[in-house]
Amino acid sequence: MGSRYGIGVDIGSTATKAVVLDDDGALVHSVLMPTGYSSVDAADRVARALAAAGYDVESDAVRIVATGYGRIAVPYADKVVTEITCHGIGAARLFGPQGTVVDVGGQDTKVIQMKGGRVVKFTMNDKCAAGTGRFLEIMADRLGVSQEEMARLAREGAETKISSMCTVFAESEVISLVGRGVPRADIARGVIDSVVARVAALAGQSPAGPFFLTGGLCDNAFVVERLADALGAPVTTCPEARYAGALGAADRALHV
């Protein structure tokens, strides 16, 4: 490798992402894999995946910043930076310096206010899985469908109330709805609306628009539509928004 590269490694509770930026800040490679049972193991698998693509984490030509839930488990990182900072930087690169970043992760939801490309305020819900990607994963499993199929069903379903604030009790509600013969599409609609309501309640505390969605739900068009409806404001996202944390970390790595 003749150039210098910045690599961001974002080990989340559910998914692990890595992004490689070249000298000019252009994205030249990305990695996405399940985190699995161990952040240490995920960090090792990322290193192997990067090496297979020609980016040796031990090379003098790279600088590495780790972020996310498992950031302290990346032994080859030159620096560790919080996910709030990295998601802010990554979102600013993708969407611009002003607005509110809504990051729906596997185990928490973060709302980050940005001004001039800097984080000025953030709030986080990490006390309960309701309102997170993990909640959708559990409910999709209970309905016997993938998350993609659940979103498709939900678009066809009628409004259905799932009122429990706790994942365990909400799952019991879903089981009860299934037992009463409520159509699966209606239950799927209720599940997604339940998540959206919790995310919107957190995001709605921020007066600073526009809203940008990052994290694993950025590919879920129905969630994006429902969140925009709940907030009464447009919500912008893109496929690369899944990598926002890793992108921000890679950006910082260029300046280590």
Side-chain angles (χ1 to χ4, degrees):
M1 292 185 297
S3 301
R4 185 167 181 259
Y5 295 89
I7 298 177
V9 178
D10 177 9
I11 299 186
S13 59
T14 301
T16 290
K17 290 80 62 180
V19 161
V20 183
L21 300 181
D22 67 13
D23 272 339
D24 297 322
L27 196 160
V28 294
H29 188 67
S30 62
V31 175
L32 174 65
M33 62 179 64
T35 297
Y37 75 98
S38 165
S39 296
V40 173
D41 177 67
D44 183 58
R45 284 184 282 119
V46 164
R48 294 201 302 269
L50 289 169
Y55 304 100
D56 181 359
V57 298
E58 302 297 338
S59 168
D60 291 337
V62 305
R63 292 293 181 270
I64 300 169
V65 167
T67 191
Y69 166 84
R71 59 187 179 274
I72 63 170
V74 185
Y76 47 84
D78 296 293
K79 190 173 182 179
V80 170
V81 178
T82 69
E83 59 260 50
I84 298 296
T85 297
C86 289
H87 270 278
I89 294 170
R93 282 180 57 105
L94 291 170
F95 304 116
Q98 303 279 126
T100 297
V101 182
V102 181
D103 177 68
V104 183
Q107 300 288 2
D108 63 36
T109 297
K110 296 177 281 288
V111 176
I112 307 166
Q113 288 185 36
M114 303 289 297
K115 286 186 180 178
R118 290 180 169 272
V119 175
V120 294
K121 184 179 179 183
F122 74 89
T123 54
M124 181 185 299
N125 166 33
D126 59 359
K127 298 295 188 287
C128 178
T132 67
R134 177 60 179 157
F135 179 85
L136 286 180
E137 183 180 319
I138 290 170
M139 297 307 166
D141 286 346
R142 175 56 63 184
L143 292 175
V145 296
S146 66
Q147 289 197 51
E148 293 78 11
E149 177 69 5
M150 185 165 69
R152 188 192 68 76
L153 285 168
R155 190 182 290 279
E156 302 168 357
E159 289 191 17
T160 302
K161 188 72 171 175
I162 294 176
S163 56
S164 295
M165 294 293 290
C166 168
T167 301
V168 174
F169 293 137
E171 188 173 9
S172 294
E173 274 193 76
V174 167
I175 292 170
S176 177
L177 291 170
V178 170
R180 296 199 329 248
V182 174
R184 191 159 56 170
D186 294 358
I187 300 173
R189 172 69 179 269
V191 166
I192 286 181
D193 282 352
S194 174
V195 169
V196 165
R198 284 156 180 72
V199 173
L202 193 66
Q205 298 173 23
S206 170
F211 292 96
F212 309 121
L213 180 66
T214 64
L217 297 184
C218 65
D219 294 328
N220 193 319
F222 187 64
V223 167
V224 177
E225 291 171 23
R226 296 299 294 156
L227 184 57
D229 288 343
L231 290 169
V235 175
T236 303
T237 191
C238 65
E240 293 77 19
R242 175 188 289 271
Y243 297 91
L247 184 58
D251 186 273
R252 286 295 295 266
L254 286 177
H255 303 99
V256 169

